[in-house]
Amino acid sequence: MHIMEGFLPAKHCIAWGIASAPFVAYGLRTVTKRVREYPEQRMLIGVAAAFTFVLSALKMPSVTGSCSHPTGTGLGAILFGPAAMAPIGAVVLLFQAILLAHGGLTTLGANIFSMAIVGPFAAAAIYRLVRAARLPFGVAVFLAATLGDLLTYVTTSVQLALAFPDPVGGFWASFTKFATVFAVTQVPLAISEGFLTVIVCNALARLNPRELQEMRVATGSEQEVQA
Amino acid sequence: MLIEQSAYSNRWRQVSPAAKGLFALCGMVAVFIAKTPGIACGIALLLCLTTLVGAGVPSVRYLRVAAPALLFLAMSGATLAASLQSGPVSGMTVQLVPAGLARAAQVCGRSLGGLTALLFLALTTPLTDLIALLRRLKMPEALLDIMVLCYRMLFVFAESAHAIRVAQTARLGYGSISRSFRSLGALVAAITLQVWQRSLALHQAALARNNDGPFRFLEPSFPAAGRQLAVACSAGAGLIALAVVLP
């Protein structure tokens, strides 16, 4: 759910940019630290960004007939960790703005906040919680991907409602409006993406790749993929 | 990718990216300070014409590139114009109020202007030039490295996704909804593995060439950059002046 170029007022653009910057900086620091420990992962984040970009351009089979694309936030958070997703998402969103005219440069901060920060952190937290509750791996992946997507879209609705409170009903009326209008496309998308992510993770577990074991990626969550 | 094709083949390919970036930036500023939706739309029209006539981007391609954003604008614009009210008798009702309409018009004008400014930059400037420009503007090296790698690898992944998709389709992998999900899952899993394989291969290739720092490339030179910057600066100032002066 990208907010388009010029849609948010200037003050909101700046505020969301300031809110996103520390997360991106923290993510970059985490990544740099990890590379110092495992130099062979030096190229990983850049390649992962390209992967996320291509993933978001794939067409998902849709039941409703509308054209939908996965966001990759859930899968990315499980594979690369939520902290690394902030810089990855920032670059992917910038590329989407320039190469596909999805989203925009002035709304980059707001889009990073909803899609590269809230989504991945929520997905990772939900994944951990569900695994801690000893529920099956598939359920954890499904809930992480689906709820991560849903929270992303709720965040976008909040951003729009904060920028444009309803002249009569205020923030909540505006939030209800935006959330309802975008639910038509976003709720089926979140559910399809949940299913897709489960299938992907199961396939990864079945392939049981040597590379993933050798490189000990994403510390911990990856062992679960193979388990 | 349609935007890429234009970025490399338009008439202003050899114009300095700093000049094009400055003009797009001025366009954005002008749109944001425009007082009425009409002025914002006028600036949008000017930016659009600059891209079509000046840079020679085909108009059909321009429309196809702008279509998804325009769809978002139509949906959100309508949402902005309508107002939800909860009455004591009738429950929730949808109304059109003048304040909502005025605001929707203002936001739509600004978004159209912003979109045309973004498209001007995107359709005339290849990403490699933009990355070189960001490097000169002192963007953090770590982010630039991610961008360079991402841009180079994205075509590799796109091609391999396409090849897998063709092979799957040839075997009726997308014949029904459930099969489509299974095929797409297998496709994504296969590409996910390539992330590690390719990043390891790239690392080894870089080590073999004694590279363990940032990626450096020869930057393209733009001999007429000074003159072009001056032209872009005055054109951009003109746009901003229009936004300020017009009532």
Side-chain angles (χ1 to χ4, degrees):
Chain A
M1 195 64 244
H2 298 64
I3 303 179
M4 81 175 284
E5 183 67 82
F7 202 78
L8 292 179
K11 268 184 210 154
H12 287 254
C13 299
I14 297 168
W16 287 114
I18 293 175
S20 303
F23 288 93
V24 176
Y26 169 73
L28 275 179
R29 241 191 49 198
T30 317
V31 167
T32 322
K33 229 187 267 169
R34 204 195 290 168
V35 168
R36 222 170 284 144
E37 206 172 329
Y38 306 104
E40 69 274 17
Q41 289 191 16
R42 181 158 70 97
M43 308 284 186
L44 186 66
I45 296 302
V47 178
F51 165 73
T52 314
F53 185 93
V54 171
L55 184 65
S56 70
L58 293 174
K59 267 203 193 85
M60 270 210 288
S62 97
V63 192
T64 49
S66 71
C67 166
S68 61
H69 304 277
T71 59
T73 45
L75 185 63
I78 294 171
L79 286 175
F80 311 117
M85 280 310 279
I88 292 180
V91 170
V92 170
L93 286 166
L94 176 70
F95 275 37
Q96 284 175 335
I98 293 173
L99 295 176
L100 306 171
H102 289 176
L105 301 179
T106 56
T107 51
L108 195 61
N111 285 333
I112 290 176
F113 197 84
S114 68
M115 270 178 284
I117 296 171
V118 172
F121 274 99
I126 292 164
Y127 178 80
R128 291 239 175 106
L129 274 179
V130 180
R131 288 302 280 169
R134 303 200 172 276
L135 286 168
F137 173 67
V139 177
V141 172
F142 178 80
L143 286 178
T146 307
L147 294 179
D149 265 15
L150 283 179
L151 278 171
T152 300
Y153 127 80
V154 168
T155 311
T156 308
S157 303
V158 167
Q159 288 171 333
L160 290 174
L162 277 177
F164 309 107
D166 193 279
V168 187
F171 170 81
W172 285 109
S174 178
F175 174 74
T176 319
K177 265 189 328 193
F178 282 112
T180 324
V181 169
F182 294 128
V184 181
T185 52
Q186 297 301 306
V187 173
L189 181 144
I191 296 171
S192 322
E193 179 155 7
F195 281 124
L196 183 68
T197 312
V198 172
I199 299 172
V200 172
C201 287
N202 282 340
L204 278 177
R206 201 170 56 245
L207 293 168
N208 196 16
R210 188 169 49 95
E211 284 79 14
L212 295 190
Q213 286 176 343
E214 277 179 1
M215 299 187 66
R216 278 175 296 168
V217 282
T219 57
S221 57
E222 206 49 46
Q223 273 89 32
E224 309 227 17
V225 170
Q226 284 144 36
Chain B
M1 285 198 282
L2 287 171
I3 293 190
E4 276 283 281
Q5 291 174 16
S6 280
Y8 280 99
S9 64
N10 72 86
R11 218 176 286 151
W12 287 350
R13 166 77 179 84
Q14 298 304 329
V15 173
S16 144
K20 289 181 281 194
L22 183 68
F23 182 67
L25 182 70
C26 288
M28 295 251 185
V29 172
V31 166
F32 268 87
I33 58 176
K35 289 180 204 102
T36 63
I39 300 174
C41 286
I43 293 171
L45 189 67
L46 281 178
L47 283 164
C48 173
L49 284 178
T50 315
T51 319
L52 295 181
V53 180
V57 174
S59 49
V60 178
R61 183 179 295 168
Y62 192 88
L63 281 179
R64 278 181 62 188
V65 165
L70 292 178
L71 191 75
F72 173 89
L73 187 59
M75 265 173 80
S76 337
T79 317
L80 269 183
S83 174
L84 266 189
Q85 269 190 325
S86 48
V89 189
S90 55
M92 291 292 239
T93 51
V94 177
Q95 288 186 333
L96 285 177
V97 291
L101 277 177
R103 198 176 50 181
Q106 192 211 354
V107 171
C108 288
R110 193 172 64 207
S111 296
L112 270 182
L115 180 67
T116 48
L118 172 69
L119 283 181
F120 166 77
L121 184 65
L123 285 166
T124 57
T125 321
L127 202 62
T128 43
D129 285 3
L130 285 178
I131 294 176
L133 180 65
L134 288 175
R135 176 164 280 138
R136 275 201 290 159
L137 294 174
K138 303 278 179 244
M139 203 186 195
E141 203 69 58
L143 262 184
L144 284 172
D145 273 1
I146 300 180
M147 287 166 72
V148 169
L149 256 182
C150 178
Y151 185 64
R152 297 176 87 78
M153 292 311 290
L154 111 118
F155 299 98
V156 176
F157 281 126
E159 196 171 313
S160 103
H162 178 72
I164 297 175
R165 186 139 204 162
V166 168
Q168 287 175 329
T169 314
R171 291 159 181 76
L172 300 181
Y174 292 90
S176 66
I177 291 276
S178 63
R179 266 194 204 178
S180 305
F181 267 108
R182 210 178 315 142
S183 302
L184 192 63
L187 187 158
V188 174
I191 303 182
T192 309
L193 282 190
Q194 290 186 17
V195 172
W196 278 276
Q197 291 164 344
R198 288 190 192 275
S199 66
L200 187 61
L202 276 174
H203 170 69
Q204 286 166 342
L207 277 189
R209 288 159 183 76
N210 235 351
N211 167 298
D212 58 356
F215 307 110
R216 286 298 181 153
F217 298 95
L218 279 181
E219 289 182 10
S221 66
F222 299 95
R227 194 172 51 82
Q228 287 159 354
L229 257 177
V231 173
C233 197
S234 44
L239 280 183
I240 295 180
L242 264 183
V244 174
V245 172
L246 286 180

